[in-house]
Amino acid sequence: METKNIMIVGVGGQGSLLASRLLGRLLLTRGYDVKVSEVHGMSQRGGSVVTYVRFGDKVYSPIVDKGEADFIVSFERLEAARYTEDLKKGGKIVTSTQRINPMPVIMGAAQYPDGLIEKMRAAGIDVDAIDALSLAEQAGSAKAVNIVLMGRLSRWFDFSEQEWLTAIEQTVPAKFLELNKTAFNLGREA
Amino acid sequence: MKTLMLGNEAVARGLYEAGCSFVSSYPGTPSTEITEAVAKYPEVYAEWAPNEKVALESAFGASLAGSRAFCGMKHVGLNVAADPLFTMSYTGVNAGLIIGVADDAGMHSSQNEQDSRHYAKAAKIPMLEPSDSAEALELTKLAYELSERFDTPVLLKMCTRVAHSQSLVQPGPRTEARKSYEKNAAKYIMMPGNAKRRHPVVEQRTADLIAWAEDVSINRLEDGPDHSMGIITSSTSYQYVKEVCGDLYPVLKLGMVWPLPEKKIRDLAASVDRLVVVEELDGFIEEHCRNLGLSVTGKEKFSCIDELSQNKVAAGLGKPVPEGVKFSEPIPARPPVMCAGCPHRGLFYTLAKNKVTALGDIGCYTLGAVPPLGALDSTLCMGASVSGLHGFTKAGGGKAVAVIGDSTFIHSGITGLVNMAYNESNATVIIVDNSITGMTGHQQNPTTGFNLKGDPCTKIDLETLCRAVGIRRVRVVDPYDLAQCDQALKEEMAADEPSVIISRRPCALLKYVKHKKPVVIDKEKCVGCKMCMRVGCPAISMSAGKAAIDNTLCTGCGVCGQLCHQGAIRPAKED
């Protein structure tokens, strides 16, 4: 099988690390070769963050480069737009519609573009957008945005719901398991 | 069963399996998780040391005593530990000793992009370099064998993409390793008479290691059908080469990057039309090839600036590079910022408001340099704020302050403060004490009262420490209280002697720190003056001409409310 590439992008602190680890666990159960590349340190502090998940028969590079991503899962719509160049032709963006203003916008030094999702679609990009924050809050915590988006991503993957839920069980703390299962289903069915 | 592990976790697993029983490190991205992961094995004693020099000397002592030992750090940490490093090359080891050093090409979280391989060459110490997690485990175990067989410390070099990438690893059982200590003055006391006899031993060791490098499997030739080109590579660059070229060309994959083989490289060169070296950062292997008199393509195609990637390698090799989706909308940058509720913010606001020259240091608080606060004037290396302040004020730079975190102060700020007291500086050091080593992801340190394993331990009292070195003016402020910060800063800067202000409040991200409810904006009272925006908090923005709070971010710290002249920002009613 040709290597598949997923990028998970967002704002530092939104939980992209956990989402990438969840994917790693899931893909491992099917016997794929898997690589997950994470970001630690200063860039985690409210900056733009990217993690890479790659799987296939044999995976060499741990990173996804320009024009290679089959999926970009984004926790914030500006971040989805930031990484479009990494998307493979025919690739798909799964994004939360959430807006988090970066400091240059807060300061008035830059504009947060209007109608980003519509503009991406107009440019021929396949964008699946959901209000993951509201769904996460509905599930019981704004922090579950990552699992809501994994639920959404699951629609495009050939894994059973049970396989996903098992991977969630292996990734999240037990006391938040039910909340995260709810979040996953809300994202999957939204 | 195979499992996913970070490269750093795989090193930790390798340490465990090889019978390592002593680890002393200082945290630094991207090396930190090695020590955090190994601390979870009860068979291994692991600790955070105050700095890398102390850590490496402690690991040396453990090796001397007969324990397989490890010391981990980031690339710049090796500068701090360089003094013991160069001489333990002469003494060699008793039980095996590994120094883990993690480079940060691309500077994801570092102040420079130095290439640690130069240390291996300069200190004449072998250096192994894995290219994924499975190799990280394997080479860690091999490093102990090498260390004991060749009587040398061994450098294990990681880089961000190996350290922080998860890949498949097959864990194995632990084998205990223990030696006894025997006094050997000629080997371990490095005074000139002994050191003169040890230096030739070091040179012979390097020659022996080169011979070993010629036929060891970690330096492997992966042959390919197309001999128009032969590639020498290592580490993550190897992965990029394989990603781009598959098995087309002969590839010499080096698991040991110092000392380098000679015959193996000459043989490859002789069998191909063109020799290419693909390596990250400096042209280290390339230079070695040139010293062998070989013609080689290297840094002119693969820049020494920034990290490499499969597309960069493809471009350098003249291969097609995939095109991404075009989207022309301008996207504003999202630089890292101090978190909402960060205790450093109030202190930096006070510095900016008073237009104080502030020499900064290494940690989260380096973010005090970015707009709108822009409250720092320099950042060099760990501890440089304090010693830099001394030179700045002595040389007539005017009144200024140093800003340094609790962990960084203990790492190497304290020696600068000793100098300020001893040589009578007239300046103020501000210790931003957030009760944790923050930037690297919440490691304990000697000021927190807890050790690496999370157990209570001796806690350094910063006030007493500063007084003990001769600073008479030491005071503590709460950085959430702007008036208190302002008063303390003005008074201490006006004093005619050195002083210390400890700005103390725990990091807002610590689990035990309880946040208040988000502050509430009274839209009737808000006049849209943007005074509250001057603290640069990511939780405040303007919406329809009025201040607006992002309730998912705000911790209710109330610093913004202290700037509002209209009384439009008030605390929420707590339940």
Side-chain angles (χ1 to χ4, degrees):
Chain A
M1 187 196 107
E2 198 184 328
T3 299
K4 291 278 181 202
N5 303 314
I6 306 166
M7 287 172 63
I8 302 175
V9 304
V11 179
Q14 279 192 300
S16 57
L17 217 60
L18 186 123
S20 62
R21 290 183 170 187
L22 167 62
L23 278 177
R25 292 266 183 163
L26 176 79
L27 295 163
L28 205 55
T29 59
R30 287 276 179 94
Y32 291 120
D33 191 17
V34 181
K35 284 192 176 167
V36 180
S37 196
E38 306 178 348
V39 180
H40 299 244
M42 180 177 274
S43 36
Q44 278 183 292
R45 301 281 174 261
S48 171
V49 293
V50 192
T51 58
Y52 306 109
V53 180
R54 309 190 73 214
F55 66 101
D57 294 334
K58 174 68 193 167
V59 178
Y60 288 107
S61 169
I63 62 173
V64 177
D65 214 333
K66 293 210 176 354
E68 291 191 331
D70 295 280
F71 290 92
I72 296 178
V73 180
S74 178
F75 291 42
E76 200 272 353
R77 63 186 197 244
L78 184 69
E79 295 312 308
R82 185 185 311 285
Y83 293 99
T84 49
E85 220 187 335
D86 294 280
L87 201 63
K88 186 185 277 183
K89 283 188 175 131
K92 186 178 193 71
I93 291 178
V94 175
T95 187
S96 173
T97 53
Q98 192 182 349
R99 167 176 173 164
I100 300 174
N101 287 330
M103 196 47 72
V105 170
I106 291 174
M107 300 275 304
Q111 289 285 318
Y112 195 106
D114 291 324
L116 263 180
I117 289 165
E118 294 72 22
K119 284 175 182 167
M120 284 192 276
R121 286 182 179 142
I125 302 169
D126 181 1
V127 183
D128 181 20
I130 58 166
D131 183 356
L133 179 59
S134 296
L135 293 169
E137 282 168 347
Q138 197 182 321
S141 167
K143 291 199 169 119
V145 161
N146 50 7
I147 304 297
V148 170
L149 285 167
M150 287 300 101
R152 192 65 181 184
L153 180 70
S154 74
R155 289 159 65 119
W156 318 105
F157 274 71
D158 174 30
F159 283 86
S160 72
E161 192 174 329
Q162 190 50 51
E163 285 175 290
W164 281 93
L165 293 178
T166 305
I168 291 172
E169 272 170 32
Q170 291 170 345
T171 314
V172 305
K175 63 176 172 175
F176 298 123
L177 183 58
E178 283 313 308
L179 187 159
N180 280 301
K181 281 181 172 177
T182 309
F184 178 83
N185 283 319
L186 284 172
R188 189 173 169 97
E189 282 146 29
Chain B
M1 197 186 104
K2 281 196 177 181
T3 172
L4 277 174
M5 276 191 198
L6 282 179
N8 281 347
E9 292 169 338
V11 171
R13 182 73 202 181
L15 295 174
Y16 165 78
E17 290 180 13
C20 168
S21 53
F22 182 94
V23 173
S24 184
S25 304
Y26 185 81
T29 312
S31 71
T32 311
E33 299 80 9
I34 301 174
T35 302
E36 288 183 323
V38 84
K40 294 190 175 125
Y41 298 106
E43 295 90 338
V44 184
Y45 170 81
E47 65 178 23
W48 291 127
N51 67 34
E52 295 85 352
K53 180 176 186 287
V54 173
L56 182 52
E57 290 157 352
S58 301
F60 173 76
S63 156
L64 201 60
S67 286
R68 284 192 167 181
F70 175 83
C71 173
M73 62 196 72
K74 67 185 292 175
H75 59 314
V76 284
L78 195 51
N79 302 334
V80 179
D83 196 359
L85 179 82
F86 277 70
T87 303
M88 64 179 65
S89 174
Y90 280 34
T91 61
V93 301
N94 181 22
L97 172 58
I98 302 177
I99 302 139
V101 57
D103 285 10
D104 190 18
M107 291 178 277
H108 296 270
S109 196
S110 300
Q111 67 269 40
N112 77 23
E113 212 169 20
Q114 73 185 47
D115 187 330
S116 296
R117 293 176 298 178
H118 298 294
Y119 270 111
K121 185 177 181 182
K124 303 168 194 268
I125 290 175
M127 176 181 265
L128 304 184
E129 188 177 38
S131 68
D132 61 17
S133 299
E135 272 189 13
L137 191 156
E138 179 199 341
L139 293 189
T140 300
K141 291 166 80 170
L142 179 67
Y144 276 124
E145 287 175 34
L146 269 187
S147 176
E148 290 172 4
R149 175 172 162 193
F150 289 91
D151 190 10
T152 177
V154 174
L155 285 154
L156 181 72
K157 179 179 170 283
M158 303 292 281
C159 66
T160 298
R161 294 304 181 184
V162 175
H164 286 164
S165 292
Q166 296 187 52
S167 58
L168 289 169
V169 167
Q170 177 67 59
R174 175 176 169 92
T175 309
E176 292 296 339
R178 180 81 210 174
K179 291 189 167 187
S180 55
Y181 169 68
E182 278 171 41
K183 183 165 175 162
N184 185 345
K187 183 172 185 297
Y188 295 122
I189 300 176
M190 281 306 96
M191 52 192 193
N194 291 339
K196 280 178 185 173
R197 282 189 289 273
R198 290 298 298 175
H199 188 185
V201 174
V202 172
E203 298 303 327
Q204 182 58 47
R205 181 178 74 205
T206 299
D208 295 344
L209 278 160
I210 292 171
W212 182 82
E214 296 293 356
D215 54 18
V216 68
S217 63
I218 61 167
N219 291 338
R220 65 174 184 264
L221 180 72
E222 300 175 2
D223 207 359
D226 186 341
H227 280 234
S228 63
M229 177 162 68
I231 301 171
I232 306 175
T233 187
S234 72
S235 183
T236 191
S237 303
Y238 163 78
Q239 305 291 356
Y240 304 142
V241 166
K242 295 298 280 189
E243 182 85 27
V244 171
C245 303
D247 299 329
L248 186 60
Y249 306 107
V251 171
L252 177 57
K253 195 275 183 196
L254 297 173
M256 182 160 81
V257 289
W258 188 260
L260 289 158
E262 293 177 8
K263 182 174 179 299
K264 224 165 195 165
I265 290 174
R266 286 187 199 283
D267 288 351
L268 174 66
S271 78
V272 296
D273 301 339
R274 186 163 76 102
L275 190 62
V276 179
V277 177
V278 183
E279 59 190 321
E280 224 161 47
L281 297 180
D282 297 337
F284 184 83
I285 301 169
E286 177 185 351
E287 191 180 286
H288 175 75
C289 293
R290 291 195 200 285
N291 288 344
L292 295 177
L294 300 169
S295 170
V296 60
T297 303
K299 285 293 129 185
E300 75 267 32
K301 293 288 185 188
F302 310 96
S303 176
C304 66
I305 298 164
D306 204 352
E307 37 177 9
L308 295 178
S309 70
Q310 52 264 42
N311 284 1
K312 286 183 188 173
V313 169
L317 293 172
K319 304 283 182 190
V321 176
E323 267 188 44
V325 170
K326 295 272 182 289
F327 184 58
S328 54
E329 187 75 20
I331 304 296
R334 190 186 298 274
V337 290
M338 279 192 281
C339 309
C342 176
H344 300 325
R345 179 171 284 105
L347 190 272
F348 280 115
Y349 173 77
T350 307
L351 293 176
K353 184 184 143 210
N354 287 288
K355 299 190 167 57
V356 173
T357 299
L359 285 81
D361 225 294
I362 305 290
C364 285
Y365 48 93
T366 313
L367 293 170
V370 303
L373 293 166
L376 290 176
D377 289 76
S378 74
T379 296
L380 187 64
C381 64
M382 299 282 284
S385 62
V386 183
S387 14
L389 173 69
H390 175 73
F392 188 85
T393 49
K394 280 280 178 188
K399 280 280 186 179
V401 302
V403 181
I404 185 166
D406 46 320
S407 185
T408 310
F409 178 72
I410 296 297
H411 177 283
S412 47
I414 182 64
T415 40
L417 192 66
V418 168
N419 192 38
M420 284 182 66
Y422 173 53
N423 286 310
E424 300 181 326
S425 270
N426 184 1
T428 302
V429 172
I430 301 170
I431 304 173
V432 285
D433 176 9
N434 64 351
S435 309
I436 203 74
T437 310
M439 175 60 70
T440 44
H442 286 176
Q443 287 73 37
Q444 304 295 343
N445 69 55
T447 71
T448 66
F450 294 92
N451 64 22
L452 168 57
K453 303 244 181 189
D455 299 323
C457 63
T458 304
K459 177 180 160 87
I460 286 188
D461 184 282
L462 283 172
E463 294 91 310
T464 308
L465 177 63
C466 295
R467 289 196 183 99
V469 305
I471 306 295
R472 290 181 300 180
R473 298 184 67 98
V474 179
R475 64 199 282 179
V476 179
V477 296
D478 177 359
Y480 277 2
D481 185 337
L482 294 182
Q484 195 187 40
C485 288
D486 197 65
Q487 188 189 353
L489 182 70
K490 286 183 170 134
E491 287 176 7
E492 295 313 319
M493 289 190 71
D496 200 20
E497 61 179 297
S499 59
V500 170
I501 299 172
I502 300 169
S503 170
R504 177 172 290 147
R505 185 172 269 276
C507 172
L509 299 182
L510 282 166
K511 285 211 170 73
Y512 69 79
V513 172
K514 294 280 174 264
H515 294 166
K516 292 184 182 166
K517 285 188 173 174
V519 294
V520 178
I521 306 281
D522 186 334
K523 299 278 180 195
E524 299 293 313
K525 287 185 180 170
C526 177
V527 296
C529 68
K530 299 187 181 173
M531 268 306 289
C532 55
M533 305 281 287
R534 295 192 185 181
V535 291
C537 177
I540 315 174
S541 57
M542 296 301 286
S543 172
K546 306 273 181 180
I549 298 295
D550 182 335
N551 288 339
T552 63
L553 294 177
C554 179
T555 67
C557 77
V559 169
C560 56
Q562 295 169 48
L563 296 177
C564 182
H565 300 309
Q566 312 302 324
I569 303 178
R570 57 180 168 77
K573 289 196 180 72
E574 297 287 330
D575 297 329

